């Protein structure tokens, strides 16, 4: 009888092992990488903020600039490695975090042409959103997915609400322009619409104020309307959150489409169906 050959376990390639370390936080190496990355991000953001202070810039300007270039070089290498280790680099480059990772390094190189543009490096703080994946904080990732799903489900209602709000602002602003006129600062319908939006949102800058009794009565009505309108988007968002089904998720990332937030026991991606790794 011919003995059956036992399947030989193949070790993941260097590219796959690198992807697991960089894109997933379920392994000690992945958590260590993320912690080191967050430390660099925080350090670089603080350095950029300190460089904007004249006294600090005068005393430590060269050191801060050198630190900025070293961190930018490290982030550039990291961005290149991210593109190398994923199966679809262009898909990652177009994703939210892919764009953020690119914007985190561009201002430093742009400062060679446009001095002062390195102040935009504070956009690196957006990379800290990955902190929800560190130390297996999957419940935070689940909450983030819940909020994102609620926003997506309620976007049509919110768009309808915003359209209605703009129409109201146009009508009320035009009415105030008719009542008050240029004499009291309402020189045009666009300026009056600006006043109506500021009043309805209960901001009230006070740069333009109605002076006549009819105008003040109309303004009081708009203020009361503004308070009632504020509750509308809150109710829409709350209803959508209640409608969502909360399930436990993990930090595993699909190697094909980079989708996060899969069920802990999932074997295939919920979006593209590719096999999941890094269990």
């Amino acid at each position: 009888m011919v003995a059956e050959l036992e399947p030989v376990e193949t070790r993941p390639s260097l590219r796959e092992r690198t992807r697991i370390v960089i894109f997933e936080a379920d392994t000690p190496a992945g958590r260590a990488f993320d912690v080191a990355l967050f430390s660099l991000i925080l350090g670089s953001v603080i350095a950029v903020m300190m460089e904007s202070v004249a006294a600090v810039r005068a005393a430590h300007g060269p050191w801060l600039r050198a630190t900025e270039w070293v961190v930018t070089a490290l982030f550039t290498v990291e961005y290149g490695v991210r593109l190398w280790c994923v199966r679809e680099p262009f898909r990652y480059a177009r994703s939210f975090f892919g764009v953020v990772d690119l914007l985190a390094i561009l201002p430093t190189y742009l400062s060679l042409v446009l001095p002062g543009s390195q102040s935009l490096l504070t956009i690196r703080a957006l990379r800290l959103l990955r902190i929800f994946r560190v130390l297996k904080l999957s419940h935070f990732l689940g909450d983030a997915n819940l909020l994102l799903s609620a926003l997506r489900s309620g976007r049509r209602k919110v768009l309808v609400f915003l359209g209605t709000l703009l129409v109201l602002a146009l009508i009320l602003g035009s009415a105030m322009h008719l009542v008050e006129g240029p004499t009291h600062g309402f020189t045009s319908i666009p300026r009056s619409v600006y006043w109506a939006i500021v009043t309805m949102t209960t901001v009230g800058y006070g740069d333009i104020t109605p002076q006549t009794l009819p105008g003040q009565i109309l303004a009081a009505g708009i203020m009361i309307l503004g308070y009632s309108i504020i509750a509308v988007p809150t109710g829409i968002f709350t209803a959508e959150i209640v409608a969502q089904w909360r399930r436990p998720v993990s930090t595993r990332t699909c190697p094909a489409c980079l989708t996060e937030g899969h069920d802990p026991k999932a074997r295939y991606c919920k979006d593209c169906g590719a096999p999941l790794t890094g269990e």
Side-chain angles (χ1 to χ4, degrees), residues 165 168 172 195-196 198-202 216-232:
L165 191 63
L168 281 176
L172 296 173
W195 172 87
V198 170
T199 304
M200 276 197 297
T201 54
T202 69
Q216 293 172 350
I217 293 175
L218 178 59
I222 294 175
M223 295 174 195
I224 296 174
L225 178 64
Y227 276 110
S228 62
I229 285 177
I230 291 175
V232 175

Side-chain angles (χ1 to χ4, degrees), residues 2-8:
V2 180
E4 295 183 359
L5 297 177
E6 296 183 357
V8 179

Side-chain angles (χ1 to χ4, degrees), residues 3-275:
E4 295 183 359
L5 297 177
E6 296 183 357
V8 179
E9 295 184 0
T10 58
R11 188 180 181 185
S13 63
L14 175 62
R15 182 179 180 184
E16 178 62 17
R17 295 198 304 272
T18 304
R19 186 197 65 79
I20 293 174
V21 170
I22 292 180
F23 283 94
E24 299 184 10
D26 286 337
T27 62
R31 288 195 297 274
F33 174 83
D34 283 337
V35 170
L37 180 63
F38 295 149
S39 301
L40 280 177
I41 294 171
L42 285 174
S44 64
V45 171
I46 292 174
V48 172
M49 294 172 63
M50 290 297 99
E51 191 181 4
S52 65
V53 181
V56 177
R57 183 171 62 250
H60 308 286
W63 289 101
L64 292 174
R65 290 289 293 172
T67 301
E68 176 186 318
W69 275 104
V70 169
V71 174
T72 299
L74 292 175
F75 284 166
T76 303
V77 173
E78 179 222 355
Y79 181 72
V81 173
R82 286 181 181 271
L83 293 177
W84 167 74
C85 67
V86 297
R87 297 180 183 178
E88 299 185 27
F90 291 106
R91 184 166 186 169
Y92 166 72
R94 295 193 304 268
S95 66
F96 171 77
F97 281 115
V99 174
V100 170
D101 292 343
L102 179 61
L103 293 178
I105 60 178
L106 285 182
T108 302
Y109 298 113
L110 189 61
S111 65
L112 297 174
V113 182
L114 299 175
S117 58
Q118 65 270 16
S119 299
L120 298 175
L121 286 174
T122 51
I123 198 173
R124 288 175 178 172
L126 286 174
R127 304 192 72 193
L128 294 175
L129 294 176
R130 286 192 173 99
I131 197 171
F132 299 123
R133 301 168 52 249
V134 180
L135 304 178
K136 296 186 177 180
L137 297 179
S138 58
H139 50 287
F140 287 107
L141 184 60
D143 292 339
N145 289 337
L146 177 67
L147 294 177
L148 183 59
S149 298
L151 288 173
R152 287 175 177 172
S153 301
R155 64 181 181 274
R156 294 183 180 178
K157 300 181 182 70
V158 173
L159 288 176
V160 171
F161 166 75
L162 291 177
T164 305
L165 191 63
L166 290 176
V167 171
L168 281 176
L170 177 61
I171 295 173
L172 296 173
S174 301
M176 185 58 74
H177 174 67
L178 178 63
V179 172
E180 291 290 327
T183 306
H184 299 139
F186 296 84
T187 55
S188 64
I189 290 180
R191 186 166 178 80
S192 301
V193 170
Y194 153 78
W195 172 87
I197 293 175
V198 170
T199 304
M200 276 197 297
T201 54
T202 69
V203 176
Y205 290 128
D207 52 346
I208 312 174
T209 56
Q211 304 298 321
T212 65
L213 180 60
Q216 293 172 350
I217 293 175
L218 178 59
I222 294 175
M223 295 174 195
I224 296 174
L225 178 64
Y227 276 110
S228 62
I229 285 177
I230 291 175
V232 175
T234 305
I236 293 174
F237 188 56
T238 303
E240 294 298 335
I241 290 180
V242 173
Q244 299 298 320
W245 179 259
R246 299 185 62 176
R247 295 179 299 174
V249 294
S250 68
T251 62
R252 295 160 63 198
T253 304
C254 174
C257 67
L258 303 179
T259 298
E260 296 183 354
H262 297 89
D263 294 339
K265 297 182 179 180
R267 299 176 60 186
Y268 299 93
C269 176
K270 60 184 178 182
D271 285 347
C272 68

